[in-house]
Amino acid sequence: QEDATIDYNGDQIVATASTTAQTANVTLRANISDINVTKPADDANPGDIRNAKVKFVVTTLAGAATPYSSNWLPVTNLVTAGDVRTGTLSYTFMATLPSTATDEEYTVRILVGKDGTDTSGYYVAAEQTTVVTVYKPIGDFVTGGGYIVPFASAGTFASDAGKKTNFGFNVKYGSNGANLKGNMNVVFRRTEAGVVRTYQIKANALQSLAVDARDPKRQTAQFITKSNLTDITNPLLPVSKGGNLFLYVNMVDNGEPGINDSISFALVPGGSDPAVLANILYSSSWTSNKTQQMKLGGGNLVVHSGFSVGTVLAVAPYVVNIAPNAPTALKPVVPVVEKLTVTAYPNPTTEYFKLNVKGNNKEIVEIKVVDMTGIVVYKAKGAANNTYKFGSNFRNGSYFLQVTQGKESQVMKIIKAN
């Protein structure tokens, strides 16, 4: 047997096709590597990762029965041709939101190995767990412009190291919430036969947009669009380099003025896996076997979403989201003069939560946790400026945590995901 490591790089947040749609296709993807890649000293004789078997198991955080599970899947695609140490695979399932919900969170377990139903897996690895959110895109839009300076571009049309990649885009849903509209324009340079040529990636049919704006200090987005690739070195005589291509864009808006924002671009033929290097026509920065985001050299990104439906309270370094169906007892109280600061971590957690509470020293702090049905599962009282530990006995699922001190109250959503 050989040891392996798991690197999940699939969907983390997915929007339904419109503000009224109830379903969305979620693509789970992972790179599986022989331990020789990440810890070469532990194994000087790597095996062939194509002997590994992988299973994706998906459950709702509310604790419902497992709605989705793949079979044991072979790792047939190598990330880099000829390197049998790292492979990639994906599995797509259709998520269906409850009829009255605007979002749903899913726990995704990635298993490498074998069980009683399939004993052919040659690799084993520590199980990896992640959380994927599916939501209705109420008020979503992204816009921005600027440039990055790639030094590790990859693909058939990899850009020259140190030369700018310029971009501009605007993507949003129409007024009826049903149609995704906008534009995307990316320009990069590469030297061919001693001539610096200029290439343009231009969007022609936006496919999907997903936005997570729950943390105002770090708002993320990803969108996919059909695109054309054109050589525009001579703008009067543009030369087509391919149509029916898919451009994958991932970005982080770290607030104003944009100096810490980041973005990535990956262009592949339609239907091709962007995790396989052989499929890449252009990757802005290919490192550690995948397209990675780069900080902007100049410009700004703006991400906005209506996903955080209801009241939103900032609680550094997290954001509190009160869901539409949150129990009445958990509605926040308007803060007064004394500032109550609450931090729960890690969130999600696989073991227990640590709760750090800062506030005035004159009043007792009351802590209450309820599950999604409104049942109180934890209560405590104590002093402010203290750390509390709880949740080791919680079942997998989402909970609402309320911390009250005097007339101040903070509420946040916490997730237990083994």
Side-chain angles (χ1 to χ4, degrees), residues 293-417:
Q293 293 187 40
M294 295 184 62
K295 275 190 177 182
L296 303 190
N300 196 7
L301 305 177
V302 176
V303 173
H304 180 272
S305 178
F307 172 56
S308 299
V309 178
T311 304
V312 180
L313 300 177
V315 182
Y318 300 97
V319 170
V320 181
N321 298 276
I322 310 302
N325 58 349
T328 303
L330 286 179
K331 296 301 181 183
V333 180
V334 177
V336 290
V337 178
E338 294 290 340
K339 182 65 176 177
L340 175 66
T341 302
V342 179
T343 305
Y345 61 96
N347 187 20
T349 186
T350 58
E351 297 181 359
Y352 53 81
F353 301 93
K354 288 185 178 180
L355 175 67
N356 183 262
V357 181
K358 294 182 180 179
N360 69 68
N361 292 314
K362 299 178 182 179
E363 297 177 286
I364 293 296
V365 170
E366 296 184 8
I367 303 166
K368 179 165 62 176
V369 180
V370 302
D371 64 17
M372 300 303 287
T373 66
I375 297 175
V376 177
V377 296
Y378 176 81
K379 291 180 70 174
K381 292 184 178 181
N385 302 309
N386 205 351
T387 299
Y388 299 84
K389 185 188 298 184
F390 60 88
S392 60
N393 62 336
F394 287 8
R395 294 183 178 181
N396 287 0
S398 297
Y399 299 82
F400 287 101
L401 163 67
Q402 181 180 41
V403 180
T404 302
Q405 185 185 45
K407 295 183 178 180
E408 286 194 88
S409 182
Q410 298 282 10
V411 182
M412 69 172 61
K413 187 177 183 179
I414 57 177
I415 298 172
K416 180 69 176 291

Side-chain angles (χ1 to χ4, degrees), residues 149-154 158-162 283-287 294:
V149 184
F151 283 89
S153 179
S159 62
D160 290 348
S283 168
S284 52
S285 182
W286 183 271
T287 56
M294 295 184 62

Side-chain angles (χ1 to χ4, degrees), residues 23-26 68 92-96 106:
T23 63
N25 286 324
V26 179
Y68 308 101
T92 300
F93 72 92
M94 179 178 285
T96 302
Y106 297 87

Side-chain angles (χ1 to χ4, degrees), residues 181-201:
K181 301 179 179 180
N183 56 76
M184 181 84 206
N185 188 10
V186 181
V187 174
F188 62 92
R189 291 90 182 166
R190 60 181 269 112
T191 301
E192 298 175 1
V195 177
V196 177
R197 310 203 69 83
T198 303
Y199 287 89
Q200 179 186 55
I201 304 169

